[in-house]
Amino acid sequence: MKYRTAIIWEQGGRKENEDSISLLNVKVGNKPMLIACVADGIGSLDHSEIASSMVTYAVKDAFEEIIRSKPDVTLKQIQKRIYRV
């Protein structure tokens, strides 16, 4: 299955973009799956760009861990694991 994706964000008046995004295109069993994770930085906090990046990496790691450890994983199990992150 093919997906067409685009990422557009507005940095606003800040020096750095504090938002993070992760797109994962994988097969779970024989089924294609696209996982998208968007973390919005909080502009009033120091190091907000680091916090949003940590969230997207944690979701990516959790997703990869569950599909690696459980080849017959269900969508419900994936959702439950990611919600715990």
Side-chain angles (χ1 to χ4, degrees):
M1 183 176 289
K2 293 183 180 181
Y3 301 97
R4 181 171 291 174
T5 61
I7 301 168
I8 301 169
W9 68 75
E10 176 62 37
Q11 185 170 327
R14 304 191 194 299
K15 288 182 185 179
E16 296 183 29
N17 189 336
E18 298 175 344
D19 305 334
S20 295
I21 186 165
S22 179
L23 292 172
L24 305 169
N25 185 7
V26 299
K27 278 195 174 182
V28 177
N30 289 334
K31 297 178 182 176
M33 185 176 287
L34 178 70
I35 298 287
C37 177
V38 178
D40 186 24
I42 302 171
S44 62
L45 297 178
D46 290 340
H47 308 294
S48 181
E49 73 282 359
I50 295 170
S52 65
S53 179
M54 289 174 69
V55 169
T56 57
Y57 277 106
V59 168
K60 174 187 166 293
D61 290 346
F63 177 71
E64 289 175 344
E65 177 188 321
I66 195 163
I67 64 170
R68 206 175 27 251
S69 66
K70 228 179 160 184
D72 58 341
V73 67
T74 66
L75 180 59
K76 191 76 163 174
Q77 291 168 325
I78 292 170
Q79 288 173 328
K80 192 174 180 179
R81 175 69 180 106
I82 290 175
Y83 287 152
R84 277 192 242 139
V85 172

